[in-house]
Amino acid sequence: MKKLLSCAILLSSFLLHAKEDKMNVLFIMSDDLNVDIASYGHPVVKTPNLDKLRSKSVLFSQAYSQYPLCNPSRNSILSGMYPGTSGCLSNADQLRKTAPNITTLPEAFKKQGYEVISTGKIFHHEDPQSWTGITNLRTGKLQPKGKPYSFYRPAFDERQTIGEGRNLTDGELGFMTWRSVTEKEEILFDSRTARWTNKHLEGLAENKKPFFLGVGFSRPHDPFFAPKRFFDMYPLESIKLPETPENASEVPMIAYYDVFKRAFDKMDTQKRMEFVRSYYASISYMDEQLGLVLDKLDELNLSQNTLIVFISDHGYQVGEKDYFNKTLLFERSCRAPLMISSPKLKTKVTKVDKIVQFLDVLPTITEISSVPTPETAEGRSLLPLMKGEKIKWDEHAYSYVNADRSVRTKRYRLINWRGQKEALYDHQRDPGEHFNQVDNPEYKEVLTRLRSKLKEIPEFKK
């Protein structure tokens, strides 16, 4: 009997320690955020909370989205799969329909007994199967199990806010609207997201069950609604628009979403400056809400056992190439922030400059957390790079947009538009991607090599 009692005590102790050893995960995603933040060297945009997170994180300076559009990119990140493999190549595609046999990132933690909650926009089309609970941003309560929920509904409520603003395309593109909010900022999407996230954190801290909490901020995604104090940070006269060299190579119209491009071309200098200002204000507003969540994590003494991942779904053009949106295969659309803070990781590495892909995030998080990586994941764990291990790392990043393809290597980017047009950029000489070297004989060997590399990109198999 004593021996049985002793075994029971040992087993109980083992289970208790196993539970305590499970690291929580706070997975934070911003929407349409490029690298215009201080942590990535931007001289103007103010993001004190991201700066604070960066001070205890490994920052990936060259991280790339596999599809610079919300739904395909998020599905790629959360499945660890190339868009060509999963079949998600538009905002309309449903991941569970195009790839029914996958296990998503939050679902992998759910299978290990974690409390897995989504607040705000994580998936573009929310996926009930991935979560134990999805937060209704109107009520703060979790949706009934398995019931779909659209993040768009509370986003539409933002129109009830009051403040100065206007549409920058005379109504041609409804989303190109900014508002400097003076009343009712509490109903803004990100204010609600932060508020309900903190309520969940309080409950999770009390419950003491390991958790995976997905927090999806909608800014700086358009429409650019943010409290007035953030617009005041960026006086219009201080805004500088990107410059294009007079002898820059022409970008073919096939590279753009032509309906958007025609509307953008009608915007005068004043409207363009207002756009940039609104984008910056939206970033700083998102940063403030992020800070509320990080402060709550500290207040509840959860920071020492919580892995924090901060990522955007893709980059964004803020006037570069005369474009004010995503969906291009240039650097500004594809490159985006990625920071990972692991309190239990002993490393002197604070920044990784190698080319990495967003689909690498899933296997990285699962490996750090000792959670089995889904067999369908195609990415590579970034943990060896975070530890500073000397390993062979093939530096390349693939990106899709519809029938267009791109490969980014340490020095070059090759873009192929529907098999009709090509562009080759040398980032060592031309970091702004202004000069197309496709017809330059000096780059013949490079072009041949990258064309071959581009053929390795997984294509959508119908």
Side-chain angles (χ1 to χ4, degrees), residues 14-183:
F14 171 79
L15 291 174
L16 178 63
H17 285 295
K19 181 178 179 180
E20 290 175 347
D21 287 340
K22 283 188 176 182
M23 195 184 307
N24 304 315
V25 178
L26 183 62
F27 182 81
I28 305 167
M29 186 177 288
S30 179
D31 203 344
D32 283 9
L33 176 64
N34 62 20
V35 292
D36 286 351
I37 55 178
S39 300
Y40 281 79
H42 198 278
V44 174
V45 179
K46 299 174 179 63
T47 51
N49 295 296
L50 277 173
D51 296 346
K52 182 180 177 182
L53 178 61
R54 192 268 174 272
S55 69
K56 56 182 182 180
S57 300
V58 176
L59 180 145
F60 293 85
S61 65
Q62 301 290 323
Y64 293 89
S65 166
Q66 273 50 79
Y67 201 119
L69 181 64
C70 295
N71 186 52
S73 179
R74 289 165 184 266
N75 285 340
S76 179
I77 293 168
L78 294 163
S79 68
M81 300 169 70
Y82 284 105
T85 307
S86 71
C88 285
L89 297 167
S90 76
N91 271 347
D93 289 322
Q94 299 278 349
L95 183 61
R96 293 289 174 184
K97 292 181 179 179
T98 61
N101 297 320
I102 62 158
T103 296
T104 65
L105 173 61
E107 191 180 8
F109 283 82
K110 181 181 174 182
K111 289 181 176 181
Q112 296 303 307
Y114 280 66
E115 191 72 24
V116 183
I117 296 173
S118 168
T119 305
K121 181 183 175 182
I122 299 296
F123 286 94
H124 188 75
H125 301 290
E126 239 342 325
D127 178 44
Q129 186 173 325
S130 289
W131 310 98
T132 56
I134 299 172
T135 307
N136 184 317
L137 288 188
R138 283 179 170 166
T139 65
K141 297 180 180 179
L142 299 179
Q143 290 294 107
K145 187 175 181 181
K147 187 175 180 180
Y149 172 71
S150 171
F151 69 87
Y152 288 112
R153 292 175 192 148
F156 289 151
D157 291 347
E158 291 186 323
R159 293 175 294 184
Q160 299 173 18
T161 58
I162 298 171
E164 178 191 1
R166 66 166 173 165
N167 182 275
L168 298 173
T169 61
D170 299 322
E172 191 172 346
L173 301 175
F175 59 83
M176 290 283 286
T177 300
W178 65 270
R179 182 176 296 173
S180 177
V181 175
T182 54
E183 297 180 46

Side-chain angles (χ1 to χ4, degrees), residues 33 36-39 42-51 164 178 180 220 224 226-240 270 272-288:
L33 176 64
D36 286 351
I37 55 178
S39 300
H42 198 278
V44 174
V45 179
K46 299 174 179 63
T47 51
N49 295 296
L50 277 173
D51 296 346
E164 178 191 1
W178 65 270
S180 177
F224 305 110
K228 180 178 181 294
R229 61 185 177 275
F230 297 106
F231 282 85
D232 292 343
M233 289 181 179
Y234 307 102
L236 194 62
E237 61 272 16
S238 70
I239 298 298
K240 294 183 179 180
Q270 168 81 12
R272 290 172 180 233
M273 291 172 68
E274 288 181 28
F275 181 97
V276 175
R277 181 195 191 198
S278 303
Y279 186 76
Y280 290 174
S282 298
I283 293 174
S284 292
Y285 164 56
M286 180 277 298
D287 179 81
E288 180 190 69

